[in-house]
Amino acid sequence: MATLGRIVTGILRKETARNVCKNQLLARTQQVRCKTTTETGALLAKPTTINLGLSKIVLVTVPFLYLGATISKEGAAFLEENDIFIPDDDDD
């Protein structure tokens, strides 16, 4: 009877570990292997990844730098046109 209890407890712990991995609730407090498994419990192969680190940085940085520069240019033109701010050309 005690052996059956240990088996049931072990099964429940495994199910809890799978739920913890899915929910990420207690993953930091308990050591849990968060791997994708099949129905029988076998680990699946590691998924393939495509590293586009520098490309992502360029694709995000360049358009937003251009957008910021355009907004600044238009804002400066608006301020100068309405005589709100006119830069002085001091030749010291």
Side-chain angles (χ1 to χ4, degrees), residues 43-81:
L43 294 176
L44 295 176
K46 185 176 179 180
T48 58
T49 58
I50 301 172
N51 295 330
L52 299 172
L54 188 59
S55 303
K56 290 178 187 177
I57 293 171
V58 169
L59 287 172
V60 170
T61 304
V62 170
F64 285 105
L65 278 176
Y66 179 75
L67 180 66
T70 304
I71 290 171
S72 298
K73 181 177 144 186
E74 295 297 323
F78 173 79
L79 293 174
E80 195 170 334
E81 181 180 319

